[in-house]
Amino acid sequence: MDFSKFMNDYPWLFGIIMILGGPIVAFYGKRFFPWVVSGIVAVTFLLGALVVCSLLGYMETTTGVGVSIAVSVIVCLLAGWFVMKTVWIAVGVLGLVGGFFLGSMIYTIFLAALGWNALWAMVTFSLVCAVGGGFLSFKYSKTVVLVMTSVIGSYAFMRGLSYFVGGFPSEAALFHSLEAKQPIENMNNFFWIYLALFVCGSIAAMIYQSRSNDDHEMLKNDKNYVDSDDHFAAVVKKINNK
């Protein structure tokens, strides 16, 4: 796809955004909740809009790329602004987006370990985890906010590094290879290092945010969030008491 080529030609553009923004999302997701979620949604909509423009054939020329980027930026800013205004939508979207990337990562583990080159599996894992994250966000809002900000931030940082170092092709490249039923290129043992970085970063961010207990006022003032269960905090508290 044209979008896959675009990401391949300009990896630094996405890499810099992810490397700089990832740690902020992972370690300060609750403290800067509205800004973090609106940023996550904006970036997600930016990528999604670019994919749509690519599928419609609008990114085949330099002018088309420029127009596609401009339109995508407008769409992503509007989406980010809308999400920032409503807590329950923000938490739900956070669960969906975090679940989607978590599902994508789980499938990639199967791909690296077993060579399971199936596009339907990648889509299924991503969608099932996205729906699961969105569903859990309504009852376990505190846990979802904590876990998903940590996971998304760690994933973004790890992904940003992979764009510069290599060894882990982008989602667009993976999708293109699976769709065309071609061998996965540029994927080597570096993937396991990225996986370890992702897992360790996620756990460290969860523990840090859980101990800091610093929620944004937007969350503190929402009754549904305050009354929701927080199983992760209970687990951390038990560990600390031992």
Side-chain angles (χ1 to χ4, degrees), residues 30-200:
K30 296 197 302 178
R31 182 182 300 180
F32 305 121
F33 176 76
W35 300 100
V36 163
V37 177
S38 63
I40 292 172
V41 170
V43 172
T44 302
F45 268 76
L46 174 64
L47 297 177
L50 288 173
V51 169
V52 172
C53 290
S54 175
L55 293 174
L56 295 176
Y58 296 153
M59 298 183 67
E60 296 178 355
T61 64
T62 303
T63 302
V65 170
V67 173
S68 297
I69 292 176
V71 173
S72 299
V73 168
I74 294 174
V75 171
C76 80
L77 291 177
L78 289 175
W81 176 84
F82 176 75
V83 169
M84 183 184 290
K85 298 300 180 179
T86 311
V87 176
W88 66 270
I89 291 181
V91 175
V93 170
L94 183 66
L96 287 171
V97 174
F100 180 86
F101 287 112
L102 186 60
S104 175
M105 194 66 188
I106 292 173
Y107 165 74
T108 311
I109 295 174
F110 283 99
L111 174 64
L114 305 176
W116 192 10
N117 295 25
L119 178 59
W120 67 266
M122 179 181 182
V123 174
T124 301
F125 270 92
S126 299
L127 291 182
V128 169
C129 289
V131 173
F135 176 78
L136 292 174
S137 66
F138 289 99
K139 185 175 182 180
Y140 307 105
S141 300
K142 292 180 180 178
T143 299
V144 167
V145 170
L146 174 68
V147 173
M148 291 309 183
T149 53
S150 301
V151 166
I152 293 174
S154 299
Y155 184 87
F157 180 77
M158 175 272 292
R159 261 318 197 170
L161 288 179
S162 72
Y163 288 163
F164 289 102
V165 180
F168 189 1
S170 67
E171 284 79 8
L174 283 173
F175 186 92
H176 177 66
S177 297
L178 293 174
E179 182 185 37
K181 297 181 180 179
Q182 297 174 346
I184 307 299
E185 298 181 354
N186 302 322
M187 190 168 185
N188 52 43
N189 289 332
F190 263 104
F191 168 77
W192 301 108
I193 298 177
Y194 292 132
L195 177 61
L197 179 63
F198 166 68
V199 173
C200 292

Side-chain angles (χ1 to χ4, degrees), residues 204-223:
M206 290 179 201
I207 294 175
Y208 176 83
Q209 288 200 83
S210 180
R211 289 180 175 176
S212 66
N213 196 28
D214 190 11
D215 295 350
H216 189 272
E217 290 298 324
M218 184 179 185
L219 295 174
K220 293 179 180 179
N221 295 331
D222 186 80
K223 186 177 184 301

